[in-house]
Amino acid sequence: LFRSFRIGGPATLICDTADEQGFIHALKSVKSFALPRMVIGGGTNLVVSDTGFEGVVLRYTGAAISRNGVTLKAQSGAVLQDVVDRSVSDGLKGMQTLTGIPGYLGGAVYGNAGAYGHSIQELVQRVWFADGDSVQEFDNAECQFHYRESIFKEQKDWIILSTELGFVE
């Protein structure tokens, strides 16, 4: 359903919401019932078995982008190109090198996406994420960014909800 390659079978149940609290509630419910679960973003580069997934697929689709001075706060379901376009249209410099990278902001932060010698870690000021029980906040250093890596790759149960990006005008 959400796969960019359009191959693979169906999931037993898909829970798709743009409401942060609704997503956290669904995540807790699925966890409490001990159901197999998978959290996905937009499905960019996701390959699924032809037999599908016997479990619950959860997807947070919140995509709001707001500006406060030289920062943008965007929810993880925002298409990365939309965040880039917003920064450019607002005259904020530093994100142009991410133009054309497919996917969503949450995935870009998760994998420390980058191009042309720059990566999203250079802009990240704060990340809000669900740890399975509550919403937590990390600053840039706590995200432990490295080349195409972040702490979120190590902590599979942590789901990025939104990110604050800092720019230069």
Side-chain angles (χ1 to χ4, degrees):
L1 181 61
F2 303 110
R3 302 167 309 272
S4 61
F5 293 128
R6 303 209 185 280
I7 59 173
T12 304
L13 180 65
I14 295 173
C15 178
D16 196 19
T17 182
D19 179 71
E20 184 177 297
Q21 291 305 313
F23 176 80
I24 292 167
H25 178 71
L27 190 61
K28 285 181 182 180
S29 296
V30 170
K31 186 177 177 182
S32 72
F33 289 121
L35 296 169
R37 69 185 181 280
M38 177 187 312
V39 177
I40 66 170
T44 306
N45 299 328
L46 180 64
V47 177
V48 178
S49 164
D50 286 341
T51 60
F53 178 69
E54 291 187 25
V56 180
V57 174
L58 299 156
R59 186 170 84 135
Y60 176 59
T61 60
I65 304 168
S66 60
R67 180 178 178 184
N68 183 9
V70 293
T71 64
L72 290 181
K73 184 174 181 183
Q75 294 176 309
S76 63
V79 172
L80 182 59
Q81 188 62 53
D82 292 346
V83 182
V84 171
D85 291 347
R86 173 70 185 268
S87 72
V88 170
S89 71
D90 284 0
L92 302 172
K93 295 179 177 82
M95 199 166 193
Q96 312 84 287
T97 60
L98 301 180
T99 294
I101 296 176
Y104 293 76
L105 179 63
V109 173
Y110 175 89
N112 191 20
Y116 307 107
H118 296 279
S119 61
I120 199 158
Q121 81 177 59
E122 297 167 27
L123 301 168
V124 171
Q125 292 185 333
R126 289 181 188 74
V127 176
W128 289 266
F129 63 95
D131 67 2
D133 295 313
S134 62
V135 175
Q136 302 293 323
E137 177 183 342
F138 274 177
D139 65 18
N140 184 294
E142 291 170 305
C143 293
Q144 299 178 20
F145 289 116
H146 300 285
Y147 182 77
R148 304 300 175 257
E149 295 292 332
S150 74
I151 194 169
F152 302 104
K153 280 190 169 182
E154 298 170 18
Q155 301 294 332
K156 300 294 186 188
D157 287 341
W158 293 359
I159 311 303
I160 297 169
L161 300 171
S162 60
T163 302
E164 182 182 78
L165 304 165
F167 296 89
V168 176
E169 284 188 283

